[in-house]
Amino acid sequence: AYLPWTLLLVDRAITRASVVSGALAGLVAAFLVLGRDQVALLAIYLVAAYALWLLARQDEPLQALRRALLPLTAGAIVGAALVTLPILMTALLAADSNRPEIDYTGAGGGSLHPALLLTLVAPDIFGASGRMGDYWGPPSLAWPYIELYIAQNVGQMYVGALPLLLVAIGLLGGRLWDREIRFFTVLLIVMLLYALGSYTPAFRAIYEIVPGVSFYRRPADAVFLIGALLAVLAGYMTHLMFTTPWVKPSRTVVAVIVVLCAAAAATAIGLGVWLDRVPRLWLPMTLAAGTFGA
């Protein structure tokens, strides 16, 4: 909830050289930091990357940095004043803990299984909204044993049919690669790779290189940021519909989207056959088909 406000205030601090916005950015970012969980860590990295991107995209980055130095300094001072003592107390507590660091295997056990990407299209495809005994997605009693330890609601990625279709049209049509939005598109890809954890080689590199990542055991927490980034990208596509002549998606784009939806349905049916859960598929798949069709 703090992330969009932090991004807005950082944007105003840099583009308008506003000291007040800079100080407020530090204030709200401090609330983010004080969460002290993995979602907060990822959000702070996102905010820092956003600030660097804002500076880099200026016509004269060095001059923009000089203008933004005072606002950013104000934000750093306000933020540090609020977080230093609580973070020191957390660090002292961690020194006496048996969990100040999570090894790579332990962290990988909290990865997002690729099959859970199906919930982007059909949110209850694995029965996550029901009882634990009825849930059959990864990991569960129904799924062949895998080294995963995440709750059944962690992998829920559904953001709505319209937002997902808008993002798909933007990606396939190239509009989400425009200079003014490209940052969020790239960050979405990075967060997806992070969430998949040990299922791609990318997380191993992130775990070894990026400070703070080794403190946490569930890369699937990045689904929070994936939802936020999908919201931004869908909002940008909606913005284009109201500010520029709307270009009808090409037949190729529509065909690719239809093929992807059909592939998702076929994959779900294949998993249902494999795990003997076909009867549980028809209601969520019918709801998804009706929603996307409408």
Side-chain angles (χ1 to χ4, degrees):
Y2 294 127
L3 178 60
W5 292 102
T6 311
L7 293 174
L8 173 64
L9 290 165
V10 167
D11 191 313
R12 292 171 68 94
I14 291 176
T15 59
R16 303 186 183 188
S18 169
V19 176
V20 173
S21 293
L24 289 174
L27 174 70
V28 184
F31 295 150
L32 261 179
V33 172
L34 291 177
R36 283 166 287 189
D37 58 14
Q38 184 165 212
V39 179
L41 176 73
L42 295 175
I44 286 298
Y45 274 129
L46 191 156
V47 170
Y50 183 60
L52 292 173
W53 177 72
L54 284 174
L55 291 169
R57 63 178 293 207
Q58 302 297 318
D59 293 333
E60 298 181 13
L62 290 179
Q63 186 176 345
L65 176 60
R66 283 194 292 269
R67 288 198 309 269
L69 198 56
L70 185 58
L72 293 177
T73 301
I77 292 172
V78 171
L82 291 170
V83 306
T84 299
L85 184 58
I87 293 297
L88 284 175
M89 293 170 69
T90 302
L92 290 171
L93 180 64
D96 292 328
S97 169
N98 63 350
R99 282 185 52 190
E101 186 172 349
I102 307 294
D103 63 20
Y104 176 74
T105 302
S111 301
L112 182 77
H113 194 284
L116 293 172
L117 296 176
L118 291 173
T119 62
L120 279 167
V121 179
D124 208 31
I125 194 71
F126 295 116
S129 67
R131 298 177 304 172
M132 184 179 296
D134 295 331
Y135 176 68
W136 60 281
S140 67
L141 296 175
W143 202 274
Y145 183 73
I146 49 177
E147 291 282 350
L148 283 185
Y149 309 97
I150 59 173
Q152 68 189 50
N153 65 337
V154 171
Q156 289 295 95
M157 301 184 68
Y158 187 70
V159 294
L162 282 176
L164 189 63
L165 289 172
L166 283 167
V167 172
I169 290 168
L171 286 172
L172 295 171
R175 298 311 302 266
L176 289 181
W177 300 104
D178 290 351
R179 184 170 179 262
E180 60 184 343
I181 196 65
R182 191 181 307 150
F183 168 83
F184 293 99
T185 304
V186 172
L187 257 291
L188 175 65
I189 295 170
V190 171
M191 287 300 165
L192 181 59
L193 290 172
Y194 187 100
L196 291 171
S198 58
Y199 288 101
T200 80
F203 180 68
R204 184 61 190 251
I206 296 171
Y207 176 88
E208 298 291 349
I209 296 171
V210 180
V213 172
S214 62
F215 292 152
Y216 300 101
R217 62 177 176 83
R218 193 171 58 193
D221 279 351
V223 296
F224 287 94
L225 279 298
I226 291 171
L229 291 165
L230 285 172
V232 172
L233 296 176
Y236 178 75
M237 290 302 296
T238 306
H239 156 73
L240 290 182
M241 293 177 69
F242 284 90
T243 57
T244 60
W246 178 245
V247 179
K248 185 178 180 180
S250 67
R251 291 184 178 181
T252 302
V253 168
V254 173
V256 171
I257 291 174
V258 170
V259 168
L260 289 175
C261 289
T267 302
I269 293 172
L271 291 174
V273 171
W274 177 44
L275 298 175
D276 194 23
R277 293 297 189 278
V278 173
R280 298 187 182 181
L281 287 173
W282 303 125
L283 179 59
M285 287 185 65
T286 300
L287 290 172
T291 304
F292 278 83

